[in-house]
Amino acid sequence: MPLTAPGRAQAGRPAGKAGARRVATVTFAAQGMSVAAVYTTVPAVTEHLRLAPLLTTALMVTVALMAGAGSFLGLAAIRVAGPVSTMRGALLTAAVALMLIGWAPGRATAGCAYVLFGIAVGALDVGINTRAAAIERVYGRSIFGSFYTAWSVGGVVAALLTAAAARLEWPVADGLTVQAGILLIVAACIRTHTLPTAGEPSEPPEPSEPSDTSVQSPLGRRMWARLLPFGLVLLVVYVVDSTVSAWSAVYLRQTLAASLTVAPMAYAAYQAGTVVGRAATDRLVQRFGAVAVVRTAFLLVAGALAGMATAPGWLFAVLAAGTVGLGASVLAPLCLAAAARLRPDASETVLARLNLFNYAGVVTGGAVSGLLGSTGEFRLAYAAPAALAVLLLAAGRHFSRPAGRERRAHEAEVGS
């Protein structure tokens, strides 16, 4: 006789999909907080360590490159210990990195801390998205948007904490230590929940950690072709995201003469926009379809980026950043969810490969924006991605392909 949810709890085995979803949601929020803590403190760290603009750009690019490497380390960790343990370990590492960034006595130590953070956030990214994909399969409907809503809420909270610390004239080390402490608390609270098999109401437990056969199954050449449209969309999304996230505080500070208290507000507005957009993503997809949602989002992003590029003052830029977040917010979760459905039996490998486009976008956006900013051309850094967003409108049609068709295509590929 299968155990009921209370029975599993009494047996010491946390019950089902609701608990797994709560853990994943909180972890997404913690990841968003950690990324925001790093990006919004760039001006303060730069001034504290007297970093040259090109060195600051190099550090941000290094974070993205190390995150790409970290995603493959995360994939290896998932194969050994499973996604939940990978999430926990990556959060602990990110917390240590935040404290090292804040308390770094010199540039070399700060550089090592940023490298460590990049590796941690990359491993966390693949672990948490793998877990989220498994949870969505159990629910049988779109819920990725809710996870990324939590990510954005964490980003807003971190940006506001950075602004409050600057307002109180705290050293950057104190502010980052507080945020690192929050990550440590979340990591300590993560628990593994068994997931029921999708579509079976009796909730028989399936292993929460993937088996070697599932994660090592080959993707095949046709799968790469089907991944490419989602990868290109994800690349542009993260060009936009890194341009706003990594450099909006510096843009407000250097180009629009905002104070250190005001500078993080563009990031906060951007993440607030993503909260609204992601909270509505699942309902919008159910009502209008993914194709319409994706194309509308690209148009909104293009217009808002143009607004940031031409902003006459910091307040206009903050409002435009919020609008960028509103449009860009739906694209990443829809890409990841669609890609995971291509091969449910190997979603960890699919998502790790798709992360290459993610970090390529982060590197491209961060490097180009930083180089343009160091020469005083931040406005151009926001105008260029607007054109990319318009060019990718045609990619929206790929989001309409049902998962069943993908499974049949894979079966035909394996059979041939």
Side-chain angles (χ1 to χ4, degrees), residues 319-345:
L319 295 174
T323 308
V324 174
L326 188 64
S329 59
V330 307
L331 297 171
L334 291 181
C335 274
L336 293 167
R341 287 194 298 269
L342 297 179
R343 282 289 303 279
D345 63 321

Side-chain angles (χ1 to χ4, degrees), residues 168-266:
L168 295 172
E169 298 183 352
W170 285 8
V172 65
D174 291 350
L176 285 175
T177 299
V178 169
Q179 303 202 46
I182 296 173
L183 298 189
L184 290 174
I185 292 172
V186 173
C189 294
I190 289 178
R191 296 291 181 270
T192 300
H193 295 77
T194 58
L195 290 176
T197 302
E200 294 188 12
S202 59
E203 295 191 8
E206 69 173 5
S208 59
E209 315 303 344
S211 63
D212 290 341
T213 57
S214 67
V215 294
Q216 293 180 359
S217 54
L219 293 183
R221 295 180 181 178
R222 294 180 184 177
M223 178 58 63
W224 284 111
R226 292 195 291 273
L227 268 180
L228 184 59
F230 302 115
L232 292 176
V233 170
L234 205 62
L235 187 147
V236 173
V237 167
Y238 281 97
V239 166
V240 172
D241 181 79
S242 64
T243 301
V244 178
S245 298
W247 299 108
S248 61
V250 181
Y251 175 51
L252 262 65
R253 177 69 170 164
Q254 294 183 359
T255 304
L256 302 179
S259 67
L260 282 175
T261 302
V262 170
M265 290 303 177

Side-chain angles (χ1 to χ4, degrees), residues 20 52 61 69-70 102 112 123-124 129 132 143 146 202-203 246 255 270 277-278 310 339-340 379 383 386 398-399 412:
V61 171
C112 292
L124 180 58
N129 280 297
I143 62 170
S146 66
S202 59
E203 295 191 8
T255 304
Y270 173 72
R278 285 169 176 167
T310 58
R379 295 185 185 276
H398 294 279
F399 287 77

Side-chain angles (χ1 to χ4, degrees), residues 37-53:
V38 167
Y39 285 156
T40 58
T41 54
V42 168
V45 172
T46 298
E47 294 182 15
H48 173 64
L49 296 178
R50 298 180 181 180
L51 303 178

Side-chain angles (χ1 to χ4, degrees), residues 107-142:
R107 299 173 183 177
T109 306
C112 292
Y114 279 116
V115 167
L116 182 64
F117 178 80
I119 292 172
V121 81
L124 180 58
D125 202 31
V126 69
I128 198 171
N129 280 297
T130 295
R131 188 63 169 167
I135 295 169
E136 184 178 74
R137 286 198 299 273
V138 171
Y139 273 82
R141 57 185 171 85
S142 176

